[in-house]
């Protein structure tokens, strides 16, 4: 990794706060809000994602962001790359005809959806979110893209919580994380 990239990673890392026992006892919450309020840190995140995409994916048609924090980084990256951005939302939040997929959470089930005309068959997509924890949401998003016959090139996250082994659910996909805990 280039020296500039290393210093950008350090900047990003310094702007992630930890909150013990949030949202419940025993959870160490990783907060990205300091990244968002610091122009240099936010620029560093997008620079690092852009560098990864340009070095590893020759053709990308769309960036696909997961509800809701993927919406913070995805449009900025898509704009840099000169490509479009697509939303994956929680069920019931998108107008028009949608395609959905159900997935398991630690405490129940959830559904994610995308507008059925958001991605054309064969389009090459990269998924983006702020965090990879157990992998359920990103896996569901990949399955949703498969339903639309898109080619999932990989997934990108700001933070990966390695002890939760979310990468195991995504083993058939390339996952790029900026910071690992």
């Amino acid at each position: 990794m280039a020296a500039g990239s290393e210093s950008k990673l350090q900047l990003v890392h310094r702007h992630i706060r930890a909150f013990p026992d949030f949202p419940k006892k025993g959870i160490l919450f990783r907060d990205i809000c300091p990244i968002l309020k610091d122009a240099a840190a936010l620029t560093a995140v997008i620079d690092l994602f852009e560098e990864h995409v340009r070095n590893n994916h020759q053709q990308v048609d769309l960036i696909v962001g997961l509800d809701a924090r993927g919406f913070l980084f995805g449009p900025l990256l898509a704009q840099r790359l000169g490509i479009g951005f697509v939303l994956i939302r929680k069920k019931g939040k998108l107008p028009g005809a949608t395609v959905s997929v159900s997935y398991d959470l630690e405490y129940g089930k959830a559904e994610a959806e995308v507008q059925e005309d958001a991605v054309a068959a064969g389009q090459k997509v990269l998924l983006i979110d702020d965090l990879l924890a157990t992998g359920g949401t990103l896996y569901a998003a990949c399955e949703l893209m498969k339903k639309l016959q898109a080619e999932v090139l990989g997934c990108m996250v700001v933070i990966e919580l390695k002890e939760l082994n979310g990468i195991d659910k995504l083993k058939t996909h390339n996952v790029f994380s900026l910071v690992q805990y």
Side-chain angles (χ1 to χ4, degrees):
M1 182 175 299
S5 295
E6 186 62 36
S7 64
K8 287 176 185 178
L9 274 175
Q10 291 169 356
L11 178 64
V12 171
H13 200 275
R14 283 195 315 267
H15 282 80
I16 297 170
R17 286 189 297 198
F19 285 96
D21 299 321
F22 182 83
K24 62 182 183 178
K25 189 152 185 68
I27 302 289
L28 181 60
F29 185 85
R30 301 293 179 169
D31 180 24
I32 61 163
C33 290
I35 291 173
L36 298 173
K37 75 176 190 177
D38 184 277
L42 182 57
T43 299
V45 167
I46 304 307
D47 287 350
L48 291 163
F49 280 143
E50 179 185 13
E51 178 182 325
H52 170 76
V53 173
R54 293 196 189 281
N55 289 339
N56 295 283
H57 303 287
Q58 299 311 308
Q59 183 193 349
V60 180
D61 298 312
L62 295 166
I63 298 295
V64 178
L66 279 65
D67 196 345
R69 293 185 185 110
F71 302 170
L72 302 173
F73 303 106
L76 297 172
L77 178 60
Q79 182 184 37
R80 285 263 192 101
L81 297 171
I83 60 177
F85 176 76
V86 170
L87 308 169
I88 291 183
R89 302 275 338 248
K90 294 175 180 83
K91 181 96 174 139
K93 300 290 185 180
L94 289 171
T98 60
V99 176
S100 66
V101 66
S102 180
Y103 61 101
D104 293 322
L105 298 168
E106 308 82 63
Y107 49 84
K109 284 198 166 294
E111 279 188 82
E113 67 182 1
V114 65
Q115 290 173 320
E116 72 178 13
D117 63 353
V119 178
Q123 281 193 298
K124 297 175 185 330
V125 302
L126 283 168
L127 283 72
I128 191 167
D129 203 1
D130 68 322
L131 180 77
L132 172 59
T134 63
T137 307
L138 260 177
Y139 180 78
C142 290
E143 292 300 300
L144 198 48
M145 290 296 100
K146 283 185 196 172
K147 273 188 169 186
L148 294 176
Q149 300 176 358
E151 182 182 339
V152 176
L153 299 175
C155 303
M156 300 178 295
V157 294
V158 178
I159 301 167
E160 178 186 351
L161 302 178
K162 291 188 73 69
E163 71 272 7
L164 297 179
N165 299 314
I167 197 84
D168 293 346
K169 264 194 186 121
L170 298 162
K171 57 185 134 210
T172 61
H173 299 286
N174 175 21
V175 177
F176 174 71
S177 56
L178 296 181
V179 177
Q180 298 175 341
Y181 291 101

